Amino acid sequence: MKEIIDQLIKFRDDRNWKQFHTPENLSKSIVLEAAELLENYQWGTMNENKENIKEEIADIVAYCLLLCDCYGFDIKDILKEKIEKNEVKYPIEKSYGKSNKYNKI
Amino acid sequence: MKEIIDQLIKFRDDRNWKQFHTPENLSKSIVLEAAELLENYQWGTMNENKENIKEEIADIVAYCLLLCDCYGFDIKDILKEKIEKNEVKYPIEKSYGKSNKYNKI
Amino acid sequence: MKEIIDQLIKFRDDRNWKQFHTPENLSKSIVLEAAELLENYQWGTMNENKENIKEEIADIVAYCLLLCDCYGFDIKDILKEKIEKNEVKYPIEKSYGKSNKYNKI
Amino acid sequence: MKEIIDQLIKFRDDRNWKQFHTPENLSKSIVLEAAELLENYQWGTMNENKENIKEEIADIVAYCLLLCDCYGFDIKDILKEKIEKNEVKYPIEKSYGKSNKYNKI
């Protein structure tokens, strides 16, 4: 992952784009790409386009990695921490086979 | 990353949640988490909460990794492919210091 | 407003589109149009396009009116009810000049 | 509708909130409320909450009306214009019973 993060940062810096990459602008961009991903399923699943889905996931994760760079977060660390929190929020016996939110289980 | 992906899948399967994780439902979930991230900047930057931002980024990337699992995508491969495409769409000389979309440069 | 709602419903029914207009699909569509509106401000305000903004607002409100039609909601009634609720949630003296959410005032 | 718009503006001005209501902030807010609406259908339709759906639709439309106020748009006019444009983009004979986007019909 380190290598890809370095490529993303180089891509950004080669174009002098850091000035646009405020946390707020990156967060808006993540929402926009997430909506483009969702467009594949707007009216159901008959129009999904796998090549486009690949690109939209890549865009979302790329912006997330650039946002981590802004704040000095390590993506692996924050994922591990979140999984640990979710293990507490969603104990297996209470959430097995249920899609309810943690505050409704 | 492989280790984290395995943890995410184990978390999902321990709870028998694969049934809820259709590509469409995961895409909706990515949008929802992206909006929660954006909420940190709703009225500007005075209410941003770094602990919350960490968690929202982790949620977004976790759902992206689970969506990759649905389609059999490798996150590193799709990120590399997208960076290569973007290098063609956004040549340095044309996009240096500009935030315009590729179809407006 | 009644006249416009009738036009929207006629437009939908002339094309036999009610089958696609489930509440869930309309909600996804509202998110997609909202993201297209936000795209005008992705990197700040220098790329905003007023003609496009007009169209995106119209798309969002049109889908909201069609969603009201699904549930039998009257848009004026639900707006009035929400304003009344917000008057309780955000008393003037506590929220004057502050952008905090009601649970943080 | 005029009466409701006046109420919304009075609500905003009584709290001195116009300073927060830039077009960009309102657009972010519309996305956030749209995501809260979508949350009703995150894992399908078994968790939908009609009272909450009412409130989210009201929030979305209220922010749209406040955004119209920023730009001096009349909501009825922009809805009428959009319906006329859509009649050209989606001719009945070509779009009858199809959910395809106008550029794919």
Side-chain angles (χ1 to χ4, degrees), chain A residues 1 14-17 20 23 27 31 41 48 53 55 58-59 71 79 82 85 90 92 95-98, chain B residues 14-17 20 23 27 34 41 48 53 55 58-59 71 76 79 82 85 90 92 95-98:
Chain A
M1 213 62 181
D14 281 350
R15 281 155 191 78
N16 193 21
W17 281 0
F20 306 121
S27 297
V31 167
Y41 315 98
E48 75 179 301
I53 291 167
E55 293 196 31
D59 282 335
Y71 284 112
L79 279 164
K82 194 65 210 307
K85 279 191 193 170
Y90 296 97
I92 294 178
S95 49
Y96 188 85
K98 289 183 208 152
Chain B
D14 280 349
R15 283 155 189 78
N16 193 20
W17 281 359
F20 305 120
S27 297
Y41 315 99
E48 75 180 302
I53 292 167
E55 293 197 31
D59 282 335
Y71 285 113
K76 287 187 193 171
L79 279 164
K82 193 68 209 309
K85 278 191 194 170
Y90 295 97
I92 295 178
S95 49
Y96 189 85
K98 289 182 206 154

Side-chain angles (χ1 to χ4, degrees), chain C residues 1 3-4 7-8 11 14-17 19-20 23-24 27-28 30-31 34-35 37-38 41 45 48 50 53-55 57-62 64-65 67-68 71 73 75-76 78-83 85-87 90 92 95-99, chain D residues 1 3-4 7-8 11 14-17 19-20 23-24 27-28 30-31 34-35 37-38 41 45 48 50 53-55 57-62 64-65 67-68 71 73 75-76 78-83 85-87 90 92 95-99:
Chain C
M1 214 60 180
E3 187 200 333
I4 285 167
Q7 277 184 49
L8 284 168
F11 183 92
D14 281 348
R15 282 155 190 78
N16 193 20
W17 281 0
Q19 58 183 315
F20 306 119
E24 181 177 348
S27 297
K28 283 181 277 176
I30 292 166
V31 167
L37 171 64
L38 185 62
Y41 315 97
T45 55
E48 76 181 300
K50 280 200 186 179
I53 292 166
K54 258 188 204 177
E55 292 196 32
I57 299 173
D59 281 335
I60 296 164
V61 176
C64 286
L65 294 171
L67 185 54
C68 285
Y71 284 112
F73 298 158
I75 185 68
K76 287 187 194 173
I78 67 176
L79 279 164
K80 273 185 204 164
E81 280 172 39
K82 193 67 209 310
I83 294 171
K85 279 191 192 169
N86 280 345
E87 277 165 355
Y90 295 97
I92 294 178
S95 49
Y96 188 86
K98 290 183 207 154
S99 64
Chain D
M1 214 62 181
E3 187 200 333
I4 285 168
Q7 278 185 47
L8 285 169
F11 183 93
D14 280 349
R15 283 154 189 78
N16 192 21
W17 281 359
Q19 58 184 315
F20 306 120
E24 181 176 346
S27 297
K28 281 181 279 176
I30 292 167
V31 167
L37 171 63
L38 186 62
Y41 314 98
T45 55
E48 74 180 301
K50 280 200 188 180
I53 292 166
K54 257 188 206 177
E55 292 196 31
I57 299 174
D59 282 335
I60 296 165
V61 175
C64 285
L65 294 171
L67 184 54
C68 284
Y71 285 112
F73 299 157
I75 186 65
K76 287 187 193 172
I78 68 175
L79 279 164
K80 274 186 202 162
E81 281 172 39
K82 194 66 209 314
I83 294 171
K85 278 191 193 171
N86 279 347
E87 277 165 354
Y90 295 96
I92 295 177
S95 49
Y96 189 85
K98 290 183 207 154
S99 65

Side-chain angles (χ1 to χ4, degrees), chain A residues 1 76 79 83, chain B residues 1-13 61-62 64-66 68-69 73-76:
Chain A
M1 213 62 181
K76 286 186 195 174
L79 279 164
I83 294 171
Chain B
M1 214 62 179
K2 176 79 177 66
E3 187 200 333
I4 285 167
I5 295 170
D6 288 344
Q7 278 184 47
L8 285 168
I9 290 173
K10 184 176 165 12
F11 183 93
R12 175 195 74 191
D13 292 341
V61 176
C64 286
L65 293 171
L66 289 163
C68 285
D69 180 65
F73 299 158
D74 180 283
I75 186 67
K76 287 187 193 171

Side-chain angles (χ1 to χ4, degrees), chain A residues 27-37 56 60, chain B residues 34, chain C residues 34-42, chain D residues 31:
Chain A
S27 297
K28 281 181 278 176
S29 300
I30 292 167
V31 167
L32 302 190
E33 301 298 341
E36 290 180 13
L37 171 63
E56 303 303 348
I60 296 164
Chain C
E36 290 179 13
L37 171 64
L38 185 62
E39 200 174 345
N40 281 278
Y41 315 97
Q42 182 174 12
Chain D
V31 167

Side-chain angles (χ1 to χ4, degrees), chain A residues 8-95:
Chain A
L8 284 168
I9 290 173
K10 183 176 165 13
F11 183 93
R12 177 195 72 191
D13 292 341
D14 281 350
R15 281 155 191 78
N16 193 21
W17 281 0
K18 198 170 171 16
Q19 59 183 314
F20 306 121
H21 286 197
T22 62
E24 181 177 347
N25 287 351
L26 291 171
S27 297
K28 281 181 278 176
S29 300
I30 292 167
V31 167
L32 302 190
E33 301 298 341
E36 290 180 13
L37 171 63
L38 186 62
E39 200 176 344
N40 281 279
Y41 315 98
Q42 183 175 10
W43 304 112
T45 54
M46 62 287 204
N47 294 319
E48 75 179 301
N49 173 336
K50 279 199 185 179
E51 275 316 299
N52 177 261
I53 291 167
K54 259 188 203 176
E55 293 196 31
E56 303 303 348
I57 298 173
D59 282 335
I60 296 164
V61 176
Y63 280 129
C64 285
L65 294 171
L66 289 163
L67 185 54
C68 284
D69 180 66
C70 289
Y71 284 112
F73 298 158
D74 180 283
I75 185 67
K76 286 186 195 174
D77 289 348
I78 66 175
L79 279 164
K80 273 185 204 163
E81 280 171 40
K82 194 65 210 307
I83 294 171
E84 282 163 25
K85 279 191 193 170
N86 280 346
E87 277 165 354
V88 178
K89 269 163 113 175
Y90 296 97
I92 294 178
E93 58 279 17
K94 283 200 176 176
S95 49

